[in-house]
Amino acid sequence: MAQSIPLVSRSPHLNFPSLSPAPKRCLYGNPRRVPTSSSCPSGAVFSIRASTSDSDSSAHHVIVSDNGTGYARATLTVSDAASTASIEVDAVTEVELKENGFRSTRRTKLVCTIGPATCGSEQLEALAVGGMNVARINMCHGTHEWHKRVIDRVRKLNEEKGYAVAIMMDTEGSEIHMGDLGGAPSAKAEDGEVWTFSVRAFNSTLPERTIHVNYDGFAEDVKVGDELLVDGGMVRFEVIEKIGPDVKCLCTDPGLLLPRANLTFWRNGSLVRERNAMLPTISSKDWLDIDFGVAEKVDFIAISFVKSAEVINHLKSYIAARSPDGGISLIAKIESIDSLKNLEEIVQASDGAMVARGDLGAQIPLEQVPSAQQKIVRVCRQLNKPVIVASQLLESMIEYPTPTRAEVADVSEAVRQRADALMLSGESAMGQYPEKALTVLRSVSLRIEKWWREEKRHEAMILPPVGYSFADNIKEEICVSAAKMANNLGVDALFVYTKSGHMASLLSRCRPDCPIFAFTTTPSVRRRLNLQWGLIPFRLSFSDDMESNLNKTFSLLKARGMIKSGDLVIAVSDMLQSIQVMNVP
Ligand SMILES: Nc1ncnc2c1ncn2[C@@H]1O[C@H](COP(=O)(O)OP(=O)(O)O)[C@@H](O)[C@H]1O
Ligand SMILES: C=C(OP(=O)(O)O)C(=O)O
Ligand SMILES: [K+]
Ligand SMILES: [Mg+2]
């Protein structure tokens, strides 16, 4: 059983006022320094260890303390250990840390959809330099060869330049969408024009004002008088006549038609969900794309139009059988009425979720999208799953070099909600200013994060336990306590040594004020951690011996100028149930 931790009552430094934000207190003269003594020349290590019933592990000690002072002694000599080892971190973070220190690092992660505007090696590198954490490829567009080239270029960038840009493959799903406009980049539909939407296959050039529809049942399912919405209402038509496979439609709201834009149809003010609602979540084409993603070892697969947890579980077992090392995480896209209905079970089954506002806004009234977003972000945080806010964040930047004030406010709100990540779609895939759009996301994120750190404006969120076992509960408690200590002590960084990434995600979930340095042994875990709020993932080989891990880390990071003597850090690990507070020697 867990023991009481007498240290807490013995050490006044640990009696923090709970919940209320603690003022920065001067603990020992210098607020950032734990006392050092001659017996502990290189900074004190203070360790709390909890024990569990399965106490055969050497990690399960009650407390380690040094002759009643509450401080375990450690000799953190910067030694030989590191000389042969290496640490991998991306160049942008390294420069940021060196130049501006810990507080300058961005906590909100950035996902960029890669398309014709950004698929070249130089363009990809520019995005990586600009802060792209995850590159998304959308299987609605392009061929496997095209996507493979992008994947290879990102991989090369990671290998040669030290980035950990993860790859997210997004499935097409069984939505109804238009064809590819016969190769044209877009087409303008004017008020009063009559267009033909047809399920016919056109092998030569498309007749004028004709759109191919990918769903065979389309002409049968729509009725004269139905409203047809392109891309959630960017362009609207009214169905005026049905002639076999052709549906004649009158344009009532003009606008730009983009290739493969999504289509929904509405009758008497409600979304029509006939046979199309019975389409499988994962189409036969999606299965081929998923096989491609597994073969290419992508880091994330985002599943479009998820309706229930069942499909996620099904896909998980499919992928597990083909990719036994477990390197692929599943992201559920919340973009339908069904996915909102079954939100908790879907998020629980997935490894993360996306607020896919594009299609969501076509399925529920637009004015309900903001509250849905807030709810999805909250549920994901409570269930400890990373969440991405996506679509139209900077839509006007597809054409213009500056965003609208409203777009900046929208980005700010997602950052304030402390979503894990923000995503660019058309802005980076086919827009004219992909790098500028990324810069806007980066600078708005940094500014808003700084603002509420300074003002303590974020609302506290109840974080219910997520683990199923007592051992899990201990991990959670350690992370919650470590994050709280980090805030109260104003430490420079949290360090977490994690093999699976789980402890890192538990710390991220607490959204602490300082950055979290997540050390992990495998490149694949490192890339996947790159989607999570506040984590700076490093690849490092480490052992079960925390003291040597810390020595090695300090030595390597100091050698690269990323930390310096006197910096205050708190370290936790998933090998040892402890929280250690120390100054970098
Ligand atoms: N691989 C690609 N090849 C060509 N165009 C692409 C590609 N990926 C994205 N695009 C373009 O960028 C736009 C925005 O991307 P995204 O939001 O992911 O797709 P969609 O609009 O289909 O939901 C697409 O409509 C398409 O015009
Ligand atoms: C991200 C979305 O999905 P896609 O771009 O694949 O339609 C969305 O609908 O917002
Ligand atoms: K998609
Ligand atoms: Mg969508």
Side-chain angles (χ1 to χ4, degrees), residues 113-116 136 138 140-142 146-147 258-260 425-426 429-430:
T113 303
I114 306 305
R136 167 183 180 254
N138 188 348
C140 282
H141 310 277
W146 188 93
H147 293 296
L258 294 174
R260 306 174 80 81
S425 296
M430 42 70 105

Side-chain angles (χ1 to χ4, degrees), residues 22 32 35 57 67 85 93 132 142 145 158 208 242 303 330 345-346 414 433 449 476 486 548 557 582:
R32 313 286 280 274
S57 157
N67 54 24
T93 306
M132 167 173 68
E145 292 69 44
N158 286 346
E208 210 193 348
K242 296 204 304 182
I303 308 299
L330 292 187
E345 60 160 68
I346 291 172
Y433 305 98
E449 290 165 1
E476 281 172 46
S548 99
L557 292 180
M582 76 216 78

Side-chain angles (χ1 to χ4, degrees), residues 402-424:
T402 44
T404 67
R405 279 64 175 154
E407 286 166 345
V408 171
D410 178 47
V411 172
S412 302
E413 176 58 12
V415 174
R416 195 199 59 79
Q417 287 172 0
R418 296 197 280 180
D420 288 84
L422 309 175
M423 188 173 109
L424 295 177

Side-chain angles (χ1 to χ4, degrees), residues 136-140 170-173 175 302 304-305 333 335:
R136 167 183 180 254
I137 48 175
N138 188 348
M139 304 312 277
C140 282
D170 194 323
T171 63
E172 176 166 343
E175 58 174 336
S304 295
F305 296 98
K333 290 173 71 184
E335 52 184 345

Side-chain angles (χ1 to χ4, degrees), residues 42 80 105 117 163 187 275 325 344 417 457 469 507 559 569:
S42 53
D80 48 56
T105 60
Y163 292 102
R275 287 183 303 148
D325 52 356
E344 275 88 354
Q417 287 172 0
R457 274 180 182 258
S469 65
L507 276 181
V569 302

Side-chain angles (χ1 to χ4, degrees), residues 224-256:
V224 171
D226 283 355
E227 203 180 11
L228 188 65
L229 269 63
V230 179
D231 219 354
M234 303 308 280
V235 188
R236 281 169 201 254
F237 293 88
E238 187 191 321
V239 176
I240 53 173
E241 194 182 2
K242 296 204 304 182
I243 313 167
D246 298 346
V247 179
K248 299 272 179 202
C249 300
L250 177 75
C251 180
T252 52
D253 274 351
L256 211 57

